[in-house]
Amino acid sequence: MKRRVLIYLKFSGLLILMVVLFAFASKRNEQRKINEVLIEFVEEQDPYVDEITVNKLLIQNQDRVTNVGKEILVLNTVEQKLDAHKMIEHSDVYLTVNGELRARIKQRTPIARVNAVTPFYVDVTGNTMPLSDSYSAHVPIVHNVSEREVIQVFPLLKKIQEDEFLKKHVVGVYLNVEGNYELELRVYSFKLVFGKIENLDNKIRNFKAFYQKALRDKSLEKYKKVSLQFSNQVVCTIK
């Protein structure tokens, strides 16, 4: 009987000790300040938003985040602030046991710039985003297209962004008065009439075949207009 009482007392004492240690550690953790802020941009992206901007978004109650106790730092709120920024696609904010506040930032990716009264980017999801104060994206410029027409031209912009050949050669997209899209090429001066946003894969395949043949024949400079708008053919106009 005495042995059972002794075991019970030892177990109770150990439990009390664990509770005290946990409470002490929690209190100490609450009082510990954040001693460093580390910002990481995931993937290799151009700097459309910089560390200074992110650091400002990490500030709470107008105090520097490095002086804020862990107990008053609400990480979900901080993430929501970052995710609401027009240049940020996703963020992940967390604290380390060493008192470091870490923020992993995934930026939005622009694939075209629309030359409107107030210029803007179109991102990889088809949504619009403002221009960056930190960096100017090297993407095709879209002319004569309004914000509401972005959804119409987006499939073509996405194809240009995904296709290495088009990405290398196409620097501009223009909607002409006839409602057809024209592509401006980086090197060659001929007008490339793409037509309506339809049969994209077929038109791109036809253009690549034409380009390779004309390149071998050294005839690319002879044309003033190349049209892809007709089914299964490339119609060329000589200068």
Side-chain angles (χ1 to χ4, degrees):
M1 182 68 179
K2 290 183 179 180
R3 186 175 180 182
R4 288 184 180 178
V5 172
L6 183 60
I7 293 174
Y8 175 77
L9 290 175
K10 285 182 178 180
F11 179 77
S12 299
L14 181 60
L15 183 61
I16 292 172
L17 179 61
M18 291 176 63
V19 171
V20 170
L21 289 175
F22 178 78
F24 175 76
S26 298
K27 185 65 177 178
R28 186 175 181 182
N29 187 57
E30 285 181 355
Q31 295 175 345
R32 185 164 49 190
K33 305 297 181 180
I34 296 169
N35 54 48
E36 189 174 7
V37 178
L38 298 176
I39 299 169
E40 176 189 0
F41 292 94
V42 300
E43 302 182 6
E44 292 186 8
Q45 293 181 291
D46 297 316
Y48 301 110
V49 58
D50 55 26
E51 288 193 12
I52 296 175
T53 301
V54 174
N55 208 15
K56 287 180 179 178
L57 293 171
L58 290 171
I59 291 174
Q60 300 247 324
N61 301 323
Q62 305 303 316
D63 294 324
R64 284 189 56 79
V65 73
T66 50
N67 294 326
V68 177
K70 288 184 179 181
E71 71 278 11
I72 65 172
L73 182 64
V74 183
L75 297 183
N76 287 340
T77 302
V78 176
E79 284 188 355
Q80 289 172 5
K81 277 189 173 183
L82 291 171
D83 291 345
H85 193 277
K86 293 182 178 180
M87 294 295 178
I88 295 176
E89 178 179 322
H90 176 72
S91 67
D92 181 23
V93 181
Y94 60 97
L95 290 166
T96 69
V97 294
N98 298 324
E100 297 173 343
L101 177 67
R102 293 177 176 263
R104 290 170 53 86
I105 306 296
K106 171 71 166 65
Q107 299 180 104
R108 295 174 67 185
T109 304
I111 62 173
R113 172 174 173 163
V114 178
N115 189 23
V117 175
T118 301
F120 58 88
Y121 289 129
V122 178
D123 75 2
V124 72
T125 66
N127 294 312
T128 62
M129 58 184 285
L131 301 188
S132 170
D133 294 330
S134 304
Y135 188 84
S136 180
H138 300 294
V139 292
I141 299 178
V142 182
H143 303 273
N144 203 28
V145 170
S146 65
E147 186 171 345
R148 63 182 176 82
E149 293 172 318
V150 165
I151 190 173
Q152 176 186 341
V153 70
F154 174 68
L156 175 58
L157 300 178
K158 192 72 161 52
K159 285 291 184 182
I160 294 172
Q161 190 262 343
E162 293 174 342
D163 189 288
E164 288 300 322
F165 175 83
L166 296 180
K167 193 174 182 179
K168 175 182 177 182
H169 289 285
V170 178
V171 296
V173 177
Y174 179 79
L175 179 62
N176 64 26
V177 294
E178 298 173 350
N180 291 314
Y181 286 92
E182 301 175 4
L183 304 184
E184 179 185 355
L185 303 181
R186 188 181 305 278
V187 177
Y188 302 102
S189 59
F190 58 80
K191 180 190 298 184
L192 179 59
V193 182
F194 196 86
K196 307 294 183 184
I197 307 297
E198 57 188 14
N199 302 321
L200 298 183
D201 291 334
N202 191 48
K203 289 179 179 180
I204 292 170
R205 184 166 54 251
N206 289 342
F207 177 63
K208 287 181 179 179
F210 157 77
Y211 179 87
Q212 294 300 330
K213 183 179 186 308
L215 188 64
R216 290 194 301 269
D217 297 341
K218 298 181 180 180
S219 60
L220 286 169
E221 298 293 346
K222 297 179 180 179
Y223 305 111
K224 66 176 181 179
K225 179 180 176 181
V226 175
S227 178
L228 308 173
Q229 58 185 319
F230 305 106
S231 300
N232 297 318
Q233 56 183 318
V234 179
V235 179
C236 303
T237 303
I238 297 177
K239 292 179 181 178

